Amino acid sequence: MYICNACPRKCGVDRENKTGVCGAPLSYKVARAALHYWEEPCISGTRGSGTVFFSGCSLKCVFCQNYEISRDGFGKEISENRLMEIFNEIKNQGAHNINLVNPTHYALQLAHTLAEYRSEIPVVYNTGGYDSVETLKELDGLCDVYLTDIKYVSPNVAKKYSRAEDYFDVASKATLEMLRQTGEAVFDDDGIMQKGVIVRHLVLPGNISQAMKVLDWVSANMPADTVVSLMSQYTPCGDLSDYPTINRRLSEREYDMVLDYADKLGLENAYIQELDSSKEEYIPPFDLSGV
């Protein structure tokens, strides 16, 4: 019996026999493992990031671009040995790092796997930010880079869009734990991050105040040189008729307001995107490649 309380939902279900909020089984379920060139430049570099997309999700974001795997659960169950083989395969393809995408609901299993594997290239924990500090501590020394979202500050907004009223309380504490583990950012001679934390924020239409509040928190609580990624790539996915505020793409004016605010706060290490990045072709195909 495996009673799972790994994420902040604390479902307490036996994942050997049923699934909790994340919808994932006990064994790894993966939808894609391949080089990816559309992460932040210090992650993708010139050779690509070795992304492993895990199926299921402990968040329930109504706008999720990866809904095929996060909500619909597409993927293939694999063993721990097969996952380690995948790590080797993407490393041998020249990947700058091993990039664990949406790993929250497999964090404890990954702690065991990564301790066994001992990667020669940086391990990136690429998360929606809804991570338990207690669980993250199990990964201390095993993950080199934390690429984490901070999506919202308002409990009401977080509840509306992700069914997680406690999202900011959880994500802010998780981000500080990630910083404790990695310390200041370290880059190699090619500008690829070897160690550190990147804070991502997907700017949602009609929610500019949330973006500004996230930046306020980063400015007040993180080192001055923290890498911040302000993404404009939001694309409405699925039926959002019940959420008219976000049932459109981000406007140039809205994005410029956020960029100006980041500049005002002195957040100089910020990645920005062109507005034409909000296209569905930037969403990778979930076709079991490399699985």
Side-chain angles (χ1 to χ4, degrees), residues 201-212 215 230-232 234 244-262 275:
H201 178 73
L202 176 64
V203 184
L204 297 177
N207 284 271
I208 303 310
S209 64
Q210 293 304 301
M212 292 179 174
L215 294 177
L230 295 170
M231 301 185 295
S232 64
Y234 176 77
T245 301
I246 60 171
N247 196 16
R248 62 174 175 85
R249 290 182 174 167
L250 188 69
S251 72
E252 183 175 359
R253 179 176 179 274
E254 287 174 314
Y255 192 50
D256 284 345
M257 288 173 64
V258 175
L259 298 185
D260 288 345
Y261 195 71
L275 275 180

Side-chain angles (χ1 to χ4, degrees), residues 26-280:
L26 179 60
S27 59
Y28 291 119
K29 193 173 184 182
V30 177
R32 179 178 174 84
L35 296 178
H36 189 57
Y37 297 91
W38 301 110
E39 302 283 28
E40 286 72 11
C42 66
I43 300 296
S44 287
T46 57
R47 302 197 305 269
S49 179
T51 50
V52 179
F53 287 85
F54 293 98
S55 305
C57 188
S58 54
L59 281 174
K60 296 298 172 186
C61 303
V62 297
F63 53 82
C64 183
Q65 295 180 338
N66 296 349
Y67 65 90
E68 294 174 68
I69 62 174
S70 64
R71 291 202 301 263
D72 296 349
F74 176 79
K76 178 182 178 181
E77 290 189 43
I78 62 172
S79 67
E80 179 180 63
N81 284 339
R82 176 57 191 147
L83 182 59
M84 289 192 284
E85 289 176 356
I86 289 172
F87 291 166
N88 281 332
E89 288 164 9
I90 55 181
K91 180 188 71 174
N92 292 337
Q93 291 171 35
H96 288 290
N97 42 58
I98 293 170
N99 187 343
L100 308 172
V101 184
N102 194 22
T104 296
H105 46 295
Y106 284 116
L108 294 177
Q109 293 94 317
L110 285 166
H112 181 271
T113 302
L114 293 172
E116 290 287 315
Y117 182 70
R118 291 295 175 180
S119 177
E120 298 173 359
I121 57 177
V123 172
V124 179
Y125 188 91
N126 186 341
T127 173
Y130 198 56
D131 294 272
S132 160
V133 168
E134 181 182 10
T135 298
L136 287 173
K137 286 180 177 179
E138 298 296 319
L139 294 164
D140 196 353
L142 299 172
C143 293
D144 303 287
V145 177
Y146 284 98
L147 178 52
T148 184
D149 287 349
I150 301 184
K151 297 178 183 292
Y152 339 90
V153 171
S154 164
N156 290 336
V157 176
K159 181 179 180 180
K160 181 178 182 179
Y161 293 141
S162 294
R163 285 175 47 193
E165 191 171 7
D166 61 345
Y167 176 84
F168 178 70
D169 182 58
V170 168
S172 57
K173 291 175 182 176
T175 302
L176 293 176
E177 169 61 19
M178 296 169 188
L179 177 64
R180 183 195 69 79
Q181 291 185 22
T182 66
E184 293 184 8
V186 176
F187 301 85
D188 68 10
D189 292 340
D190 296 320
I192 304 301
M193 185 176 276
Q194 304 296 297
K195 188 178 180 183
V197 177
I198 299 175
V199 177
R200 264 182 179 169
H201 178 73
L202 176 64
V203 184
L204 297 177
N207 284 271
I208 303 310
S209 64
Q210 293 304 301
M212 292 179 174
K213 289 176 181 177
V214 168
L215 294 177
D216 282 337
W217 183 87
V218 172
S219 177
N221 294 277
M222 299 290 286
D225 61 351
T226 296
V227 179
V228 178
S229 181
L230 295 170
M231 301 185 295
S232 64
Q233 69 187 49
Y234 176 77
T235 302
C237 290
D239 182 8
L240 292 174
S241 56
D242 290 336
Y243 307 93
T245 301
I246 60 171
N247 196 16
R248 62 174 175 85
R249 290 182 174 167
L250 188 69
S251 72
E252 183 175 359
R253 179 176 179 274
E254 287 174 314
Y255 192 50
D256 284 345
M257 288 173 64
V258 175
L259 298 185
D260 288 345
Y261 195 71
D263 184 61
K264 177 182 176 182
L265 291 174
L267 297 172
E268 297 179 354
N269 265 3
Y271 287 118
I272 63 176
Q273 292 181 319
E274 299 295 330
L275 275 180
D276 65 4
S277 62
S278 59
K279 296 179 180 178
E280 292 185 5

